[in-house]
Amino acid sequence: MITTDYVTGSPCWLDLGAPDVAAAAAFYGAVFDWQFESFGPDAGGYGVFRHEGRSVAAAGRLTEEGARSAWMIYFRVHDADTAVRAVEGAGGAVRTPPVAAGDAGRMAQFTDPQKAQFAVWEPGANQGLEKVDDPGALMWTELYTTDAAAAKEFYGRLFGWETQDMTLPGGGGSYGLISPQGGGQERMQGGVMQVSTDLLTLTDGRPYWHPVFHVTDCDAALGRITGHGGRVQMGPEDAEGVGRLAVCVDPAGADFVVLTPSG
């Protein structure tokens, strides 16, 4: 489970790059009952989503030429500059060098060796999201990649992640369960799944990370998603020992998963 007791390598923030922040705020407000709080013109319209008064995500205007709307997941590090050297030493690349977000902290964005994009957060005044794992909040992170073994090696070197493989039913291969270093099963925070390029249509074959959000009723959430201009890419389906889930895409093309956990 993801907790707000953040340790090195744990997901601690996520934001959405959206072509229309107001439209994104309306969509996610309708789907998850999130409220958007803009940081104002000086922040370029960037702002935070809150659920029941606590931060659960953020969003800003998509400015990168040719980029698709997508969620960016940030993993906690002690020092962003050290992370730059580690990423480059392990075969990744720097997309955005470390930059300060006022006194909140410092961030940097990278691509792994298979070209999946991710970010790191060096906390200052802002330790990370205030609400996780509960309904309406982030509860899991997932990497779709063309080379799971290489991805696990890269992120293991960078963050010290520990992975445990589980066999997928129906001959679907294996799924790598991620825990922060020393975290054990109770701190599992995400998964690595190897897929073929034909299943990576959103990114023209490039691997990518996406968030999984906790909902109390998967089917009801899908009704809100499709009723407000989103679409269902896969599911809903019941996964034994996991819950009922579906892969979805918002009106601007950013993908995410909704999950009603079992038990």
Side-chain angles (χ1 to χ4, degrees), residues 99-107 121-126:
V99 60
D103 65 351
R106 300 172 73 226
M107 59 78 66
W121 179 251
E122 174 193 325
N126 185 351

Side-chain angles (χ1 to χ4, degrees), residues 7-13 73-77 117-122 141 155 159 161 178 189 209:
V7 297
T8 297
S10 62
C12 61
W13 193 256
I73 299 173
Y74 293 70
F75 300 99
R76 179 164 179 154
V77 294
Q117 298 178 0
F118 68 103
V120 298
W121 179 251
E122 174 193 325
T141 61
Y155 291 102
F159 296 127
W161 284 354
I178 301 164
Q189 64 190 36
W209 285 93

Side-chain angles (χ1 to χ4, degrees), residues 1-2 140 164 177-180 184-190:
M1 62 183 291
I2 297 173
W140 194 253
Q164 176 183 330
L177 298 164
I178 301 164
S179 298
Q185 291 189 359
E186 65 276 9
R187 289 294 299 264
M188 283 180 176
Q189 64 190 36

Side-chain angles (χ1 to χ4, degrees), residues 1-86:
M1 62 183 291
I2 297 173
T3 77
T4 55
D5 177 22
Y6 298 117
V7 297
T8 297
S10 62
C12 61
W13 193 256
L14 77 160
D15 57 26
L16 174 69
D20 185 333
V21 175
F27 172 79
Y28 287 99
V31 172
F32 297 125
D33 194 28
W34 289 353
Q35 295 80 45
F36 183 70
E37 177 187 320
S38 174
F39 293 157
D42 290 346
Y46 189 89
V48 64
F49 286 112
R50 298 189 186 279
H51 186 260
E52 298 178 340
R54 292 181 288 170
S55 60
V56 291
R61 187 166 59 87
L62 185 66
T63 58
E64 187 176 346
E65 186 71 26
R68 76 177 184 100
S69 182
W71 284 98
M72 180 70 70
I73 299 173
Y74 293 70
F75 300 99
R76 179 164 179 154
V77 294
H78 176 71
D79 182 80
D81 296 300
T82 300
V84 166
R85 294 189 291 271

Side-chain angles (χ1 to χ4, degrees), residues 51-241:
H51 186 260
E52 298 178 340
R54 292 181 288 170
S55 60
V56 291
R61 187 166 59 87
L62 185 66
T63 58
E64 187 176 346
E65 186 71 26
R68 76 177 184 100
S69 182
W71 284 98
M72 180 70 70
I73 299 173
Y74 293 70
F75 300 99
R76 179 164 179 154
V77 294
H78 176 71
D79 182 80
D81 296 300
T82 300
V84 166
R85 294 189 291 271
V87 166
E88 292 178 329
V94 179
R95 299 183 66 247
T96 303
V99 60
D103 65 351
R106 300 172 73 226
M107 59 78 66
Q109 295 185 359
F110 307 105
T111 57
D112 71 20
Q114 285 71 50
K115 308 304 180 185
Q117 298 178 0
F118 68 103
V120 298
W121 179 251
E122 174 193 325
N126 185 351
Q127 295 295 307
L129 299 173
E130 295 168 338
K131 182 177 183 178
V132 295
D133 207 52
D134 291 330
L138 179 72
M139 69 173 303
W140 194 253
T141 61
E142 194 166 61
L143 173 64
Y144 285 176
T145 183
T146 50
D147 191 337
K152 287 184 284 188
E153 180 179 356
F154 170 81
Y155 291 102
R157 288 179 60 183
L158 176 59
F159 296 127
W161 284 354
E162 299 167 356
T163 57
Q164 176 183 330
D165 288 340
M166 62 174 285
T167 301
L168 295 172
S174 65
Y175 187 87
L177 298 164
I178 301 164
S179 298
Q181 188 171 25
Q185 291 189 359
E186 65 276 9
R187 289 294 299 264
M188 283 180 176
Q189 64 190 36
V192 176
M193 184 171 179
Q194 182 160 322
V195 298
S196 57
T197 55
D198 62 321
L199 295 178
L200 300 171
T201 55
L202 289 175
T203 55
D204 296 323
R206 191 187 72 235
Y208 61 90
W209 285 93
H210 60 207
V212 178
F213 297 115
H214 185 157
V215 293
T216 56
D217 185 327
C218 181
D219 294 86
L222 296 185
R224 295 191 296 272
I225 288 165
T226 56
H228 289 86
R231 59 187 175 89
V232 179
Q233 189 179 35
M234 184 186 74
E237 62 182 38
D238 296 308
E240 184 178 354

